[in-house]
Amino acid sequence: MPVPEGYRTEIVGGHIFMAPQRNTRWDIILDIIEQLRAKYPRKHVKSGIRMDCPGRLNGFASDVVALADGARQGVRGRWRHGDVEFIAEVISKDTASNDYGPRKDAYAAAGVPVYLIVDPYTGEWHLHLHLHLQPKDGKYHVDVTFGFGFGFGFGFGEEIDLTRTAVGPVLRTDDFPRD
């Protein structure tokens, strides 16, 4: 299927989604990648690469992926979801429900220990993880989704403390732009 220039295509639950790349999304993605480089070598931080996850026809091109030491590509040249330590998705208006729903479920089922959702429309971020750094029963068991005092997520400007996870650094969000 031909994809127009400036668009990204993914398969989520057997449905094809095509979304344009926006400057705001790219600026946040690059900011996260640059901060992860404090711990991860360049070859272990990826963006927009194909990764198959458990579930019905899931072929994701995640916004940010941090791979564990010793990570290797599978038979078809795709990164193995078992080698992923961290994924971040930056919300697009048209596909936001995928990031909060099917993706979150697929990443938990795949054993991704840390999943971060960044929403430039609300200026919030939502962190999903498991205390033992591995999701159990295909679900995340710790969701840091309270903030602003009312349970809606932490806002831009608040640090994302990943020091007690396999990821390690504290991510700063004060330079994240808003849409």
Side-chain angles (χ1 to χ4, degrees), residues 28-90:
I28 293 171
I29 290 167
L30 186 57
D31 194 343
I32 293 170
I33 290 170
E34 288 174 342
Q35 291 184 64
L36 289 175
R37 290 279 290 117
K39 175 188 176 188
Y40 292 92
R42 183 184 56 80
K43 291 183 178 186
H44 286 244
V45 182
K46 307 290 182 184
S47 178
I49 55 141
R50 171 76 187 265
M51 181 177 65
D52 294 332
C53 283
R56 186 177 174 272
L57 301 175
N58 289 320
F60 299 145
S62 304
D63 291 333
V64 180
V65 176
L67 299 165
D69 283 339
R72 60 186 191 279
Q73 292 173 301
V75 177
R76 289 187 235 152
R78 297 181 187 136
W79 292 99
R80 300 172 329 129
H81 56 77
D83 291 336
V84 175
E85 291 183 337
F86 171 87
I87 290 180
E89 296 291 355
V90 181

Side-chain angles (χ1 to χ4, degrees), residues 62-174:
S62 304
D63 291 333
V64 180
V65 176
L67 299 165
D69 283 339
R72 60 186 191 279
Q73 292 173 301
V75 177
R76 289 187 235 152
R78 297 181 187 136
W79 292 99
R80 300 172 329 129
H81 56 77
D83 291 336
V84 175
E85 291 183 337
F86 171 87
I87 290 180
E89 296 291 355
V90 181
I91 296 296
S92 288
K93 276 186 182 178
D94 295 335
T95 59
S97 61
N98 289 337
D99 296 329
Y100 289 108
R103 278 183 185 274
K104 178 182 166 189
D105 294 342
Y107 292 150
V112 175
V114 180
Y115 174 42
L116 174 67
I117 300 172
V118 179
D119 189 334
Y121 300 102
T122 63
E124 298 175 345
W125 54 265
H126 306 270
L127 184 63
H128 305 280
L129 52 95
H130 183 65
L131 288 175
H132 303 290
L133 301 180
Q134 287 297 327
K136 290 190 301 190
D137 305 323
K139 300 288 181 197
Y140 285 107
H141 294 275
V142 174
D143 296 324
V144 180
T145 55
F146 53 91
F148 296 140
F150 300 103
F152 297 109
F154 284 101
F156 289 9
E158 298 291 326
E159 293 181 340
I160 304 170
D161 186 354
L162 301 175
T163 57
R164 294 182 187 201
T165 72
V167 181
V170 172
L171 300 179
R172 295 177 329 279
T173 65
D174 48 340

